[in-house]
Amino acid sequence: MLKNTKQRCAIMQVLKQSGDPVSAEDIFAALKDEYPNLALSTIYRNLERFAADGLVKRDVWRDGIVRYSLAQEHHGHYLICTGCSAKIKIEDCPLTGIEQGLAHDTGYEIEGHTLTIYGKCPKCLRRGKTQNQ
Amino acid sequence: MLKNTKQRCAIMQVLKQSGDPVSAEDIFAALKDEYPNLALSTIYRNLERFAADGLVKRDVWRDGIVRYSLAQEHHGHYLICTGCSAKIKIEDCPLTGIEQGLAHDTGYEIEGHTLTIYGKCPKCLRRGKTQNQ
DNA sequence: CTTCTTGCAAATAATTTGCACTCCA
DNA sequence: TGGAGTGCAAATTATTTGCAAGAAG
């Protein structure tokens, strides 16, 4: 099971083409020209299934919106500007290694983690902190 | 400004008493006996203000719900079981130190970070992975 | 054909907002 | 007293779900 449908392929395409995590709405927007009657619910359902199957990684951003990215390319985390939302990918994950110790100490089987760092980028620093979130 | 109201105190009390991050609904539930007509919107508004003033730290959990905790006690992150939601506080933050290097490399001013580790606790491991999410 | 998928529309659930009223400073 | 703060109800917004129709194996 997990049939090969046009919609499913298209969603995967978007995930592959965009290096960064994308929301359901992002995908919807990206595909609405080519698939005018693709339903948002289809996107949600597929993303959830992909995530359950371990194909994609599901993350909740600070803004409360869920973003998905291909499991393989995920890792690196992000440094996100709280002023302008500029993102920098952090290639080098500081947690590799730590998780093993943690598993040993707690008896948990570690499945993954969420790490995002927030700050102000140089441009926003210069402008002072006029804006909030 | 930032007047001293009963509601505001009560919300702060809950934050202080609960070591763990709490959601608006948690606070609502905790206070509904003592303050039967406290409005959920009041809680949301105050938590947002507290967060804006740096009094509390705002975090989005994997389940999409926003939790708040006193800024001081925050740090420690959490190891959360994806089966039963059991939480273990991780006292020792692996990012201290790394942030400085990052600030130097990127020119960002680091404001904070979100780190949560997910896994299965020993009990849930034993039961096999019957449940999802 | 039979089961997995989809599209649509309606349902949830968390959070936000408008507004008149209330209460601290 | 005057503006900050509150309660209530209605509005938003992201996501989920039921169901009949459609497509893949």
Side-chain angles (χ1 to χ4, degrees):
Chain A
M1 43 232 92
L2 190 58
K3 295 186 174 175
N4 188 25
T5 71
K6 255 191 318 196
Q7 295 87 332
R8 212 157 262 178
C9 289
I11 293 169
M12 265 299 172
Q13 275 323 107
V14 176
L15 285 165
K16 273 177 198 151
Q17 276 159 22
S18 150
D20 290 337
V22 289
S23 68
E25 294 275 3
D26 291 339
I27 296 178
F28 186 64
L31 293 176
K32 90 167 117 207
D33 291 333
E34 203 176 347
Y35 303 85
N37 44 0
L38 171 64
L40 205 42
S41 55
T42 298
I43 297 175
Y44 276 110
R45 269 188 287 230
N46 279 305
L47 289 172
E48 281 310 313
R49 172 131 355 155
F50 291 159
D53 292 358
L55 289 169
V56 308
K57 170 125 175 107
R58 177 197 143 101
D59 262 320
V60 190
W61 236 245
R62 191 92 135 200
D63 58 12
I65 296 175
V66 180
R67 321 268 160 127
Y68 302 82
S69 55
L70 286 187
Q72 315 132 248
E73 26 187 291
H74 188 92
H75 249 99
H77 303 286
Y78 290 84
L79 169 55
I80 303 182
C81 175
T82 57
C84 67
S85 298
K87 299 192 292 283
I88 293 183
K89 197 166 189 174
I90 301 166
E91 293 304 338
D92 150 37
C93 171
L95 293 172
T96 322
I98 288 170
E99 293 190 336
Q100 285 146 50
L102 204 56
H104 180 266
D105 292 349
T106 61
Y108 275 54
E109 179 180 282
I110 306 299
E111 295 172 341
H113 58 258
T114 292
L115 168 59
T116 309
I117 302 180
Y118 296 91
K120 283 274 188 307
C121 75
K123 273 180 200 161
C124 288
L125 278 177
R126 241 170 269 132
R127 297 195 178 168
K129 45 178 180 179
T130 44
Q131 295 212 66
N132 188 8
Q133 167 61 277
Chain B
M1 43 229 95
L2 191 56
K3 295 185 176 174
N4 188 25
T5 71
K6 255 192 318 197
Q7 294 87 332
R8 209 157 264 177
C9 288
I11 293 169
M12 264 301 172
Q13 275 322 107
V14 176
L15 285 165
K16 272 175 197 151
Q17 277 160 21
S18 151
D20 291 337
V22 290
S23 67
E25 295 275 3
D26 292 338
I27 295 178
F28 187 63
L31 293 177
K32 90 167 115 205
D33 291 332
E34 202 175 348
Y35 303 84
N37 43 2
L38 170 64
L40 204 40
S41 55
T42 298
I43 298 175
Y44 276 109
R45 268 187 287 230
N46 279 305
L47 289 173
E48 281 309 314
R49 173 132 354 156
F50 291 158
D53 292 357
L55 289 170
V56 309
K57 170 124 175 108
R58 177 197 143 100
D59 262 319
V60 189
W61 237 248
R62 191 92 135 201
D63 59 12
I65 296 175
V66 181
R67 321 268 161 130
Y68 302 82
S69 55
L70 287 188
Q72 315 134 247
E73 24 187 291
H74 189 90
H75 247 101
H77 302 287
Y78 290 84
L79 168 56
I80 303 182
C81 175
T82 57
C84 67
S85 299
K87 299 190 292 280
I88 293 183
K89 197 167 190 173
I90 301 166
E91 293 302 338
D92 151 36
C93 171
L95 293 172
T96 321
I98 288 169
E99 294 190 335
Q100 285 146 48
L102 204 56
H104 180 265
D105 292 349
T106 61
Y108 276 54
E109 179 180 283
I110 306 298
E111 295 172 340
H113 59 258
T114 292
L115 168 60
T116 308
I117 302 181
Y118 295 91
K120 283 273 189 306
C121 74
K123 274 180 198 162
C124 288
L125 278 177
R126 242 171 269 133
R127 297 195 178 168
K129 44 179 181 179
T130 44
Q131 294 211 69
N132 188 9
Q133 165 69 280

